[in-house]
């Protein structure tokens, strides 16, 4: 009904009650308040469906939806924990493809478009490159596929790089932290500057392209892009799970725009909560079952990312670009020299990379 295990659901109740965020009322207990909200975002259920399903008035449904939404957002420090600067075991445990080259990589960052509803007068600014009305969000996730940052509310016409520039210059919890000496992986739609590392332009690197190929990387740029893409693919998979679990993120819910932006943040936090109870493997097995019924593409985010162009990459000063380009070039040389010295077979590269 709400696409969540009982344990995850009861733990969510307990956290909210323990922090005094929700309480029972005469007519609606905390459990039902939370289920109303979860059912609405999981199925994109309209108010008229909810009032018949739960037996409450439209006003009561709306009031508790907003009450639970606000309570979930107050769990930001609990469910969106700050990023760790320790090298992740997915990197440190793979000396063939990732270590020590990516030892200072802490997260993957990407943008994603979420369908949104706005008045006709605002359609032009919310049109994305595919001609759809959307808001553009920015998020990062770790290599366990948990989100650690989410920024929503930007118009669909906004370039990812502009949103990133805004994120790193904000204050408080809304600021994207960039620890000294560490970096995030970004896709080709972002600029290559200190703290953010993108793939080489005009070089094959999408995993779907490599899966359809029987050849190994031909040079250092292809090798770098392949390893970069395998790690960056974590956030594409995370977005795929997020959108498949919460159907409200695939439609244009008729809430005020600020509420729509808050709903996205709440979905991300609940997704993180679910991953504290279920493994990524369990989640992806569930997603495969969902896709078998709905015939959706698990890697739809990779297709969205194909839209990006070099136009997005124009917000950084030349010194930062030069420094990071040099860093990328040296990393690619290092990887290629090790690869040429220790490569056993083309097939081994493909197999070990996908397992990672």
């Amino acid at each position: 009904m709400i696409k969540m295990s009982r344990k995850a659901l009861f733990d969510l109740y307990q956290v909210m009650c323990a922090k005094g965020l929700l309480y029972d009322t005469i007519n609606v207990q905390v459990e039902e308040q939370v289920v109303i909200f979860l059912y609405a975002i999981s199925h994109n259920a309209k108010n008229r469906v909810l009032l018949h399903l739960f037996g409450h008035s439209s006003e009561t449904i709306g009031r508790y939806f907003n009450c639970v939404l606000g309570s979930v957002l107050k769990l930001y420090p609990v469910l969106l924990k700050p990023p760790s600067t320790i090298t992740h075991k997915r990197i440190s445990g793979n000396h063939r493809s990732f270590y020590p080259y990516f030892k200072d990589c802490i997260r993957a960052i990407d943008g994603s478009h979420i369908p949104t509803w706005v008045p006709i007068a605002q359609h032009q600014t919310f049109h994305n490159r595919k001609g759809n009305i959307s808001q553009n969000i920015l998020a990062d996730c770790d290599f366990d596929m948990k989100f650690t940052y989410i920024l929503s509310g930007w118009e669909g016409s906004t370039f990812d790089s502009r949103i990133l520039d805004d994120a790193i210059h904000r204050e408080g919890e809304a600021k994207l932290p960039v620890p000294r000496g560490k970096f995030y992986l970004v896709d080709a739609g972002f600029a290559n500057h200190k703290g953010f590392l993108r793939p080489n332009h005009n070089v094959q690197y999408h995993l779907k392209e490599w899966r359809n190929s029987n050849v190994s990387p031909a040079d250092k740029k292809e090798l770098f892009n392949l390893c970069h893409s395998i790690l960056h693919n974590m956030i594409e998979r995370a977005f795929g799970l997020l959108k498949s679990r919460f159907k409200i993120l695939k439609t244009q819910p008729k809430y005020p725009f600020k509420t729509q932006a808050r709903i996205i943040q709440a979905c991300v936090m609940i997704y993180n909560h679910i991953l504290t109870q279920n493994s990524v493997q369990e989640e992806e097995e569930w997603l495969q079952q969902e896709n078998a019924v709905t015939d959706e593409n698990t890697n739809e985010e990779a297709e969205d990312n194909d839209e990006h162009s070099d136009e997005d990459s124009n917000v950084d000063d030349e010194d930062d670009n030069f420094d990071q380009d040099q860093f990328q070039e040296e990393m690619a040389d290092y990887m290629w020299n090790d690869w040429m010295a220790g490569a056993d077979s083309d097939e081994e590269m493909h197999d070990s990379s996908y397992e990672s």
Side-chain angles (χ1 to χ4, degrees), residues 138 151 154-155 157-168 189-190 312-315:
L138 182 78
L151 179 61
W154 280 87
E155 300 90 341
S157 61
T158 310
F159 288 142
D160 289 346
S161 59
R162 182 183 172 191
I163 302 175
L164 177 60
D165 186 59
D166 174 72
I168 61 181
F190 294 89
D312 296 355
S313 310
N314 57 6
V315 297

Side-chain angles (χ1 to χ4, degrees), residues 78-262:
V78 176
L79 299 180
L80 257 71
K81 296 181 179 179
S84 169
T85 57
I86 300 173
T87 303
H88 193 275
K89 61 183 179 182
R90 186 178 295 275
I91 295 174
S92 62
N94 190 327
H95 291 256
R96 174 66 170 158
S97 302
F98 306 135
Y99 192 86
Y101 327 111
F102 293 94
K103 63 182 177 63
D104 293 321
C105 175
I106 54 172
R107 294 288 187 274
I109 286 181
D110 206 357
S112 184
H113 287 271
I114 305 295
T116 193
W117 181 86
V118 292
I120 295 177
Q122 298 179 16
H123 278 195
Q124 184 174 355
T125 57
F126 282 86
H127 264 123
N128 61 33
R129 294 187 181 182
K130 289 186 176 181
N132 300 320
I133 307 299
S134 69
Q135 61 172 295
N136 197 358
I137 67 171
L138 182 78
D140 77 23
C141 79
D142 61 21
F143 299 109
D144 292 319
M145 288 174 57
K146 286 185 180 179
F147 291 97
T148 61
Y149 180 83
I150 174 69
L151 179 61
S152 59
W154 280 87
E155 300 90 341
S157 61
T158 310
F159 288 142
D160 289 346
S161 59
R162 182 183 172 191
I163 302 175
L164 177 60
D165 186 59
D166 174 72
I168 61 181
H169 289 99
R170 285 179 172 241
E171 300 294 336
E173 290 182 340
K175 180 181 177 66
L176 177 70
V178 186
R180 181 182 294 274
K182 304 295 180 178
F183 63 88
Y184 295 86
L185 295 182
V186 295
D187 71 9
F190 294 89
N192 209 25
H193 70 108
K194 190 173 183 180
F196 304 92
L197 187 65
R198 73 179 179 190
N200 294 290
H201 279 288
N202 303 318
V203 177
Q204 173 174 274
Y205 78 99
H206 281 306
L207 291 186
K208 62 182 180 181
E209 295 170 339
W210 284 103
R211 289 192 180 104
N212 296 327
S213 169
N214 292 319
V215 297
S216 60
D219 55 35
K220 67 179 184 181
K221 289 187 176 181
E222 286 192 358
L223 176 62
F224 174 86
N225 278 15
L226 176 57
C227 295
H228 181 290
S229 184
I230 293 166
L231 286 176
H232 189 265
N233 184 245
M234 290 295 164
I235 193 163
E236 294 171 1
R237 289 166 59 192
F239 273 136
L241 282 175
L242 178 72
K243 291 182 179 182
S244 292
R245 179 166 283 284
F246 302 110
K247 301 300 183 186
I248 199 169
L249 301 182
K250 291 188 173 185
T251 60
Q252 293 180 310
K254 291 190 175 181
Y255 293 98
F257 181 71
K258 288 185 178 180
T259 301
Q260 294 177 63
R262 286 157 56 88

